[in-house]
Every structure is written in structure tokens, then in C-alpha cells.
Amino acid sequence: MLIAFNKPFKVLCQFTDGPGQGPARRTLADFGLPAGVYPAGRLDFDSEGLLLLTDDGALAHRLTDPRHKQRKTYWVQVEGAPQAGQLAALRKGVVLADGPTRPAAARLIPEPVLWPRHPPVRFRKAVPDAWLEITLREGRNRQVRRMTAAVGLPTLRLVRVAIGAWHLAGLQPGQWRAA
């Protein structure tokens, strides 16, 4: 079984919250997902979008193992007005504290039609923002956020819209479907 789930903002990618983390946080257990499925990969607590869940360990391995190089596509709202050199740096790969990234597809896109985020991204009249579409074939911890920061474009909002052939299309936050 494979499930496509639209993970809302501020939800953990696990079914229980660890002890000692302060106030209880929302988890996958809050969304009526089928029993026996587990996330194939992760999506940060403060990121939104497509999360695949499965009860098939071999499939989970194929989806998450870096050797299989699954494409992951994100829509990223960044602070600032991206310049050609910044986009070129993302495409070439940037050097992070844990080493250089692989080249990524990166392009400026019009603001996508998305659900409202609660709380909303803070609007600053004097600071421009823009949307990028970034596609990676690796998946380091907080990689997209670290890459955009490295080129001077801090991430304001991050939504994963696709993993390989699976897409978020039609799912609202907290909704899921068989994939």
C-alpha cells in the first residue's frame, strides 16, 4: 500500500511525539491514516506538502535510499528578489557545512495557488519575496532551506509538491489518498 499525504505545517512526520518536547505537537496519528503505514522519508516540522507512506519496506527503501536518486520537487517562497547568479549557483550545487550539494533544477515561478498557511508567512512591505521551483535528487536534513540561505535567499515557506512520479495535486492539508 502507498499513501500520498499532504502534511500540514507544524506536524511531525511520525505517529508519536517524543517525551520532553514541551507542549504536545500534532503528529501523523491525528489524520486517520491506515494502520500499518509509515513515512517513506521525512518532511521537516515547519515544511508542508507531499509525504509518502507505505507498509512495504522494500518500496520505502527505494523511495528514500540516495542511490535511487528520486526527484523531489519543492515550491519555495524566498525572501529577496532572486538574481541570475543565485539561480545559477543553486543549479550548479552549493557548498554546505556537510559538503557540496549535487546540482539541482531551480527556476523562478509565479506565485502558486496554495492553501493559506496558519500562521501565515509574515508580510514585510519593504522586503520583496519570490517563489522558486527546486528539484533535488538527494535529501539531506533541511537541504532546500540551507541551499537557499547559502545563496542569500532565506526560505519563508517550503512546500514539497512531488516525489518521483507522485504528485500532491488535489490534496488539501491533512488529506490523503492511495497513490
Side-chain angles (χ1 to χ4, degrees):
M1 173 185 332
L2 183 65
I3 300 292
F5 174 64
N6 186 347
K7 186 193 91 61
F9 181 66
K10 299 289 184 189
V11 170
L12 287 174
C13 276
Q14 54 197 43
F15 284 90
T16 59
D17 193 1
Q21 299 294 321
R25 297 176 290 183
R26 292 173 64 195
T27 69
L28 298 177
D30 297 327
F31 297 96
L33 291 157
V37 297
Y38 296 93
R42 304 197 58 81
L43 193 57
D44 297 330
F45 183 66
D46 52 356
S47 297
E48 309 163 68
L50 183 62
L51 180 66
L52 297 176
L53 298 102
T54 183
D55 59 356
D56 181 337
L59 175 58
H61 179 74
R62 284 194 309 276
L63 291 170
T64 59
D65 190 300
R67 290 178 293 190
H68 296 289
K69 297 180 179 77
Q70 285 287 338
R71 285 183 333 276
K72 295 171 208 75
T73 301
Y74 301 84
W75 289 342
V76 188
Q77 183 182 20
V78 295
E79 183 176 281
Q83 303 299 307
Q86 291 168 306
L87 293 173
L90 292 170
R91 290 181 193 121
K92 181 180 174 195
V94 296
V95 177
L96 302 176
D98 56 352
T101 66
R102 290 185 175 148
R107 66 186 182 102
L108 192 61
I109 60 171
E111 182 175 347
V113 176
L114 292 170
W115 52 87
R117 192 186 87 174
H118 300 289
V121 171
R122 185 178 69 162
F123 175 72
R124 293 175 25 193
K125 194 179 211 179
V127 179
D129 64 73
W131 284 88
L132 303 176
E133 181 179 82
I134 297 177
T135 302
L136 308 174
R137 289 187 178 267
E138 59 184 335
R140 298 186 206 175
N141 184 43
R142 300 182 71 80
Q143 182 174 346
V144 172
R145 291 176 188 280
R146 293 188 300 138
M147 287 175 70
T148 61
V151 299
L153 298 167
T155 294
L156 301 172
R157 186 174 183 188
L158 180 65
V159 180
R160 184 163 55 199
V161 294
I163 301 171
W166 296 279
H167 296 271
L168 189 60
L171 288 176
Q172 291 299 305
Q175 291 182 337
W176 58 271
R177 66 170 174 257

